[in-house]
Amino acid sequence: MLLKLENVRKSYGTFELDCSIEVKKGQVTGLVGSNGAGKSTTFKSILGLIFPESGNIEMFGKKLSDITPADKENLGVVLTEANMCELLRAKDVAPILKGMYKKFSTDEFYQRCKNYGIPLDKPIKEFSTGMKAKLKVIIAMSHDAKLLILDEPTAGLDVIMRNELLDMLREYMEDEERGILISSHIATDLEGLCDDIYMISKGKIVIHEDTDVLLSEYGLLKVTKEQYETIDKQYIISEKEERFGYLCLTNQKDFYQENYPNVAIEKGSIDDLIIMMTKGGKR
């Protein structure tokens, strides 16, 4: 196990985080939720930037308090709020990283920059948003880290830049000893990248499923008020009243397709799940 959070709690006024997450070797794990749901608080707790009031966090099989500088070299991080000195060039970054990480390879760093269109001699301040995002991920990967913690790495990127960055992460995961914890508000990114997904709402994990299960077994029922009164509700996990009747989220789409052929059923996306678990009433 690369990372494990167990009942990690942190309070800010009326907000309380209560979170349990696991990241396994060979897997990409996604954390999704609306703004203010608790994603950033979770990431900061993992990185020791804030201190939870209770619960346990383990990384590489050790408690956070037992993590050594050598252990930290196995961690690569990209945070939305973190920025680089934009007066530097990419080639100026290399000797800095070389001094920080024993496993940093200047040749591999330069090769990745070349492969993903990062100029070595241009000041970072002249980079596009996409080039800056790719450089951040290249830096996180540059010292053979075993675990990447990525907070919204694709934010603000166009579809081409997002695809290039996701290709970088897929290449990184060719080593099955590695793992990634990634948050993103762009659901399609996670659908094509993550092995499993945690959904957080108001500080609580409300869904954890393999991505394949989310995309194949979850669905949205569109029912009239009359249909709502008659259907079996045991597999409805959230519902929202609409003008036509009710919109219901289920994790057993096939059950309703087989037993209620007259009910309109749509395949649920991760975006749909976020909306229903945030705005809908949970049963």
Side-chain angles (χ1 to χ4, degrees):
M1 189 72 65
L2 293 172
L3 179 67
K4 183 176 182 179
L5 283 72
E6 189 173 15
N7 301 124
V8 172
R9 298 192 177 196
K10 178 67 178 179
S11 299
Y12 291 106
T14 58
F15 174 83
E16 182 182 38
L17 179 75
D18 184 358
C19 183
S20 297
I21 289 175
E22 293 183 355
V23 181
K24 300 176 182 177
K25 290 182 180 181
Q27 292 198 348
V28 181
T29 294
L31 180 64
V32 302
S34 58
N35 290 336
K39 299 189 300 295
S40 293
T41 303
T42 301
F43 278 56
K44 289 176 181 178
S45 298
I46 293 168
L47 298 173
L49 300 176
I50 60 175
F51 300 99
E53 291 139 13
S54 61
N56 298 304
I57 301 177
E58 293 183 4
M59 189 181 296
F60 311 125
K62 297 181 178 181
K63 292 183 178 180
L64 279 192
S65 57
D66 296 329
I67 293 293
T68 66
D71 293 322
K72 291 179 181 179
E73 293 208 11
N74 285 317
L75 180 64
V77 179
V78 174
L79 296 178
T80 304
E81 303 167 356
N83 293 309
M84 298 170 286
C85 176
E86 298 199 343
L87 298 177
L88 296 175
R89 299 163 295 179
K91 73 176 184 180
D92 298 324
V93 174
I96 297 173
L97 296 172
K98 182 72 174 177
M100 293 173 63
Y101 299 105
K102 293 178 182 178
K103 293 183 180 180
F104 176 80
S105 169
T106 301
D107 290 342
E108 289 185 12
F109 177 77
Y110 284 169
Q111 189 60 51
R112 280 199 175 108
C113 287
K114 179 181 178 181
N115 291 346
Y116 292 101
I118 303 299
L120 295 174
D121 293 310
K122 190 176 183 179
I124 293 171
K125 68 179 180 180
E126 297 179 15
F127 284 15
S128 67
T129 300
M131 289 165 60
K132 290 176 183 177
K134 286 191 291 184
L135 180 57
K136 284 184 180 181
V137 174
I138 289 171
I139 289 171
M141 296 164 53
S142 68
H143 52 282
D144 192 28
K146 298 303 180 187
L147 174 63
L148 295 187
I149 304 290
L150 308 177
D151 186 15
E152 300 279 1
T154 61
L157 305 188
D158 62 36
V159 64
I160 295 174
M161 284 293 186
R162 292 207 314 272
N163 284 336
E164 289 184 2
L165 193 148
L166 294 172
D167 283 342
M168 291 170 59
L169 298 179
R170 293 186 183 100
E171 179 186 352
Y172 166 87
M173 285 301 298
E174 289 175 2
D175 184 339
E176 294 187 357
E177 292 297 304
R178 296 170 173 169
I180 298 174
L181 176 62
I182 180 172
S183 71
S184 177
H185 65 278
I186 303 170
T188 51
D189 291 349
L190 299 186
E191 290 175 5
L193 178 68
C194 293
D195 297 285
D196 65 328
I197 290 177
Y198 289 85
M199 185 175 300
I200 189 169
S201 177
K202 299 179 181 178
K204 308 288 191 297
I205 299 297
V206 293
I207 291 177
H208 174 225
E209 290 279 13
D210 289 346
T211 308
D212 290 344
V213 173
L214 285 177
L215 297 178
S216 64
E217 297 184 14
Y218 281 66
L220 294 174
L221 314 180
K222 292 185 174 181
V223 297
T224 64
K225 292 183 178 180
E226 291 77 14
Q227 289 174 322
Y228 178 81
E229 294 301 325
T230 61
I231 63 170
D232 186 338
K233 301 179 184 63
Q234 64 175 315
Y235 300 122
I236 292 176
I237 57 178
S238 180
E239 59 191 31
K240 187 156 65 85
E241 190 168 4
E242 302 281 1
R243 285 181 299 175
F244 59 80
Y246 289 90
L247 188 63
C248 303
L249 176 66
T250 177
N251 58 359
Q252 297 288 337
K253 175 165 57 73
D254 290 348
F255 170 82
Y256 291 97
Q257 287 176 330
E258 293 171 5
N259 292 282
Y260 300 94
N262 295 325
V263 169
I265 303 175
E266 295 181 355
K267 179 180 178 181
S269 68
I270 295 175
D271 283 336
D272 293 327
L273 267 64
I274 293 172
I275 293 169
M276 288 299 296
M277 294 305 294
T278 303
K279 301 296 185 181
K282 300 175 186 62
R283 291 190 61 83

